[in-house]
Amino acid sequence: MENYKAFSYDIRKNIVDIIVAGGGGHIGGDMSVTDILLTLYFRVMNISPENRDDENRDMFVMSKGHCVEALYAVLAAKGFFPLEEVKEQFSRFGSKFIGHPNNKLPGIEMNSGSLGHGLPVSIGMALASRMDNRQNRIYVVMGDGELAEGSVWEGAMAAGMYHLDNLCAVVDRNRLQISGGTEEVMAHDSQTERWSSFGWNVIDVADGNDSEQLLAAFEEAKTVKGKPTVVIANTVKGCGSAVMEHKAAWHHHVPTAEEYAQIIKDFEARKEVALNE
């Protein structure tokens, strides 16, 4: 695979199809986090269906668990389970493909959904890996609205205290949450200053929907010793179609037939541009 930008629109289409088939989903955040997940699973992390039980595998936690549709689509593309199985079973009664990550499914390390839990649990994973002299890395993705949870900052303090350089957190900084703009709901001030004050190395990615910029950040994070790293990925909520972009109303929304047609048309147009760049 050479053109990750083009590939991201295939993933986005699969996400929208999962949501339409299941009759619900957090589509806006799915679109903003797609490139982060794609880059981690296909370009950065040592994880695959073949080594998913290896104790030295890299481990991933989706703390913003409501955006599980994006995770399902990426895991399916990676070969953990068939995409058609996700589409057929998502949000159905008795299905394992529920609306938040479910560790009864291959490739999912932790159930999540209650915001603010992913970082503290990831810190426990990082501590355990270091105690066992493992060579793996732990990755966790949080939403920026999630940073209003106090447990995030208790965890951040602990990770800095224990110098967990095998831990890399990512903030999906799309600046929107279900109730509006993050700066109106709970202002963030400087992410760099805030995380740095807790003893973290901070890498700011100007375009968090660009796989090349994300890859450079994750590779840099691997070289940092003595402190955890947080990647601030400045993303666009609803990224991929003007129908959804920068709109809080698309935090949780199922496209109408007309909206769906336009969204897919936009994906195809942007994929064509990416293929010709």
Side-chain angles (χ1 to χ4, degrees):
M1 191 177 305
E2 296 180 356
N3 194 319
Y4 287 91
K5 191 64 166 178
F7 183 42
S8 75
Y9 294 109
D10 293 335
I11 296 292
R12 284 181 167 88
K13 180 183 183 302
N14 292 341
I15 293 167
V16 175
D17 287 344
I18 290 169
I19 289 171
V20 170
H26 291 80
I27 192 168
D30 285 334
M31 297 296 114
S32 65
V33 81
T34 294
D35 301 288
I36 297 168
L37 298 180
L38 177 64
T39 304
L40 284 172
Y41 275 94
F42 281 87
R43 309 187 74 179
V44 176
M45 294 195 300
N46 174 30
I47 182 63
S48 70
E50 292 72 31
N51 76 344
R52 65 188 177 92
D53 295 321
D54 187 332
E55 67 176 13
N56 287 307
R57 71 190 182 280
D58 289 337
M59 303 177 78
F60 175 80
V61 172
M62 186 75 162
S63 190
K64 52 175 288 181
H66 54 285
C67 290
V68 72
E69 301 87 17
L71 181 59
Y72 287 158
V74 171
L75 288 174
K78 189 74 175 177
F80 282 92
F81 37 72
L83 177 64
E84 290 308 312
E85 188 176 330
V86 185
K87 292 180 181 178
E88 291 169 3
Q89 299 182 23
F90 179 61
S91 284
R92 299 288 189 263
F93 179 76
S95 170
K96 293 180 181 179
F97 293 100
I98 57 178
H100 287 85
N102 173 17
N103 65 6
K104 291 183 173 61
L105 289 167
I108 295 181
E109 304 282 356
M110 171 194 165
N111 296 348
S112 63
S114 295
L115 297 179
H117 289 189
L119 180 62
V121 172
S122 298
I123 289 164
M125 292 176 173
L127 280 168
S129 288
R130 188 169 72 183
M131 291 171 68
D132 290 342
N133 294 313
R134 299 175 192 163
Q135 301 306 306
N136 63 340
R137 290 180 63 76
I138 315 300
Y139 294 88
V140 55
V141 170
M142 298 173 284
D144 51 2
E146 180 177 1
L147 301 187
E149 300 287 350
S151 53
V152 170
W153 302 107
E154 291 180 65
M157 182 167 53
M161 168 69 184
Y162 293 114
H163 309 288
L164 296 178
D165 51 20
N166 59 343
L167 174 66
C168 181
V170 186
V171 176
D172 181 11
R173 186 78 167 103
N174 62 37
R175 291 177 170 76
L176 286 173
Q177 56 193 97
I178 192 169
S179 47
T182 54
E183 307 315 294
E184 287 71 48
V185 177
M186 186 62 68
H188 283 221
D189 54 60
S190 169
Q191 288 285 320
T192 299
E193 291 179 6
R194 181 175 293 193
W195 287 94
S196 296
S197 71
F198 283 89
W200 287 62
N201 173 58
V202 184
I203 303 174
D204 191 273
V205 177
D207 184 354
N209 295 116
D210 183 275
S211 186
E212 300 305 321
Q213 291 187 34
L214 289 166
L215 177 62
F218 290 129
E219 291 302 313
E220 179 184 339
K222 292 178 181 179
T223 69
V224 175
K225 303 302 179 184
K227 58 174 63 177
T229 291
V230 59
V231 174
I232 310 299
N234 292 282
T235 61
V236 173
K237 194 150 190 168
C239 181
S241 170
V243 174
M244 303 181 286
E245 289 177 344
H246 303 291
K247 297 175 182 176
W250 280 80
H251 179 87
H252 186 285
H253 179 74
V254 180
T256 64
E258 182 180 354
E259 290 168 337
Y260 176 87
Q262 184 60 53
I263 289 168
I264 300 305
K265 183 178 179 180
D266 290 347
F267 289 169
E268 291 172 350
R270 294 194 188 189
K271 179 179 177 180
E272 187 66 24
V273 170
L275 288 170
N276 291 307
E277 286 180 344

